[in-house]
Amino acid sequence: MLDKFFKISERGSTVSNEVIGGLTTFLAMAYIIAVNPAMMEAAGIPFNAALTATCFGAAIMTVAMGLFANRPIALASGMGINAIVAYSLCLGLGVDWRVAMAVVFLEGILILLLVLCGLRKAVMDAIPVSLRRAIGIGIGLFIAFIGLKGGGFIAADESTFLALGDLTSPTAIVAAISIIVAVVLTAVNLKGALLISIVAATIIGIPMGVTPPVTDFSFAPDFSAFAAPFQVTPEGTLAIAQVIVQPVLLLFVFSLLMSDFFDTMGTVVAVGSRAGFVDKKGDVEDVQPILIVDSAAAAAGGFIGASSITSFVESVSGAAAGARTGLSNIVIGIAFVACAFLAPVIGMVTSSATCGALVVVGYLMMTEIGEIDWSDIASAFPAFLTIVGIPMTYSIANGIGLGFISYCIIKVAQGKFRDVKPLMWVAALAFLASFIFA
């Protein structure tokens, strides 16, 4: 029955593959359990409430993706958007955290309406094949960059902006071990190679002082952040009502919508390329259920006080480890619920431990680069800008925007503006506006 519901055999997978893939994705994205509550606490949400919202929000929406879309795409509070909520809205403008969550909630409702109207899918269909491939490749570089940065291989530098980190530090040594284990086990086609590399590096990191010890198990869930947009602020007004009457907050709704809209697009294409539900033209099979769940997740994140919940690009690591169905999402969901009570245990998994998995995933995603026609500048240059723009701006949406805008400009210069589909013009202009007014 399990096999029939999730189409496990039909997609060439097994239950063990799904479990391993799910655990690999979970460990690769487990950092959000520590990072998001810390950011939300800075915004004013009690830490335990933020942790509960983060874990349960990720669990509910990841399981929803598995049940309704049957794709190995995990969801959790999105990095980038949570920073905007905490540091721009709450700390920067002094907005109450309940009002900030109302902004996220409204953005989610709007993007869900766009999906139900078919607009989000139509925009995806309007993107040229070369740009669709470039998005996945750029995300691959982005993932590898995140891994190397977290592992201490890349460090900030005042004169050169980026530089080689201290490779003799315990953090970098553990990261190097994780890369070696991941690469070697992948080379010999060992099942669960990426998961093994994460676990091995975590264990090795204990005596080296990199893996933090477990010191506290006494955590009980706190649901006080739930229904945040409909809570009353200290000023005595309903949080969501404040958003509607403040133009600056409505501008933030649009800004978050742009980021959510195109981040998810890139993530879905990237995961689909590894999991086998993207064809040679870059079209995503049965994309509508995926987009519906992802859009609903944004609203759900605002509702429960976890910031916008979105599809996680780290899901590619699970797809690379063998996940092909929504069964892997059930595994991830169970792990997130467990973390609401056992967060310190998952906190042992550091960025050094996941470095190898992310670097190998980055390599795997680079294999699409030969499919781009580099002799045609109209296709190749926008693809190039997308590929380098995603990691260099630390934003999937920004990289996509650079590619869209340059594609339209080149087509106009060539006198082929009719080759550009109307929705590409709309998307490019929206990106241009967001860049100018950001």
Side-chain angles (χ1 to χ4, degrees), residues 257-278:
L257 186 147
M258 285 291 293
S259 180
D260 251 348
F261 195 102
F262 291 100
D263 274 4
T264 295
M265 182 182 299
T267 298
V268 170
V269 171
V271 177
S273 296
R274 294 307 312 167
F277 57 92
V278 171

Side-chain angles (χ1 to χ4, degrees), residues 40-264:
M40 294 302 100
E41 184 180 33
I45 304 177
F47 183 83
N48 281 3
L51 181 56
T52 299
T54 299
C55 291
F56 277 92
I60 293 169
M61 298 316 303
T62 297
V63 169
M65 182 68 80
L67 295 177
F68 293 106
N70 196 21
R71 295 301 182 188
I73 302 174
L75 299 93
S77 301
M79 291 296 294
I81 290 181
N82 55 9
I84 293 172
V85 169
Y87 303 118
S88 296
L89 274 173
C90 296
L91 296 179
L93 295 179
V95 172
D96 183 81
W97 67 267
R98 300 167 190 82
V99 178
M101 290 303 147
V103 169
V104 174
F105 177 75
L106 287 175
E107 176 264 324
I109 295 297
L110 285 176
I111 203 168
L112 178 59
L113 291 175
L114 292 178
V115 171
L116 294 177
C117 292
L119 182 61
R120 203 173 185 185
K121 182 180 182 300
V123 171
M124 289 187 71
D125 292 341
I127 302 172
V129 175
S130 59
L131 278 176
R132 295 185 201 180
R133 297 191 186 282
I135 291 168
I137 297 165
I139 290 176
L141 287 177
F142 187 33
I143 289 174
F145 181 83
I146 292 172
L148 292 172
K149 176 177 174 288
F153 279 83
I154 297 174
D157 185 272
E158 289 186 4
S159 58
T160 62
F161 201 70
L162 287 177
L164 187 67
D166 180 8
L167 300 187
T168 62
S169 69
T171 297
I173 291 172
V174 172
I177 292 172
S178 76
I179 293 174
I180 293 170
V181 173
V183 171
V184 170
L185 296 185
T186 300
V188 297
N189 297 316
L190 182 68
K191 182 183 293 187
L194 302 185
L195 178 59
I196 293 171
S197 74
I198 295 172
V199 174
T202 299
I203 294 172
I204 293 170
I206 295 174
M208 298 184 68
V210 175
T211 301
V214 178
T215 57
D216 181 24
F217 289 94
S218 58
F219 171 72
D222 177 357
F223 298 97
S224 62
F226 279 46
F230 302 97
Q231 292 185 23
V232 177
T233 67
E235 291 81 16
T237 58
L238 202 64
I240 197 167
Q242 291 192 27
V243 180
I244 298 172
V245 299
Q246 296 187 55
V248 67
L249 295 183
L250 293 176
L251 183 61
F252 270 96
V253 170
F254 172 75
S255 178
L256 295 182
L257 186 147
M258 285 291 293
S259 180
D260 251 348
F261 195 102
F262 291 100
D263 274 4
T264 295

Side-chain angles (χ1 to χ4, degrees), residues 398-419:
N398 287 345
I400 293 174
L402 293 174
F404 280 20
I405 293 169
S406 60
Y407 176 78
C408 292
I409 290 173
I410 292 173
K411 284 296 184 180
V412 169
Q414 292 179 330
K416 299 178 180 179
F417 61 91
R418 291 182 180 176
D419 289 352

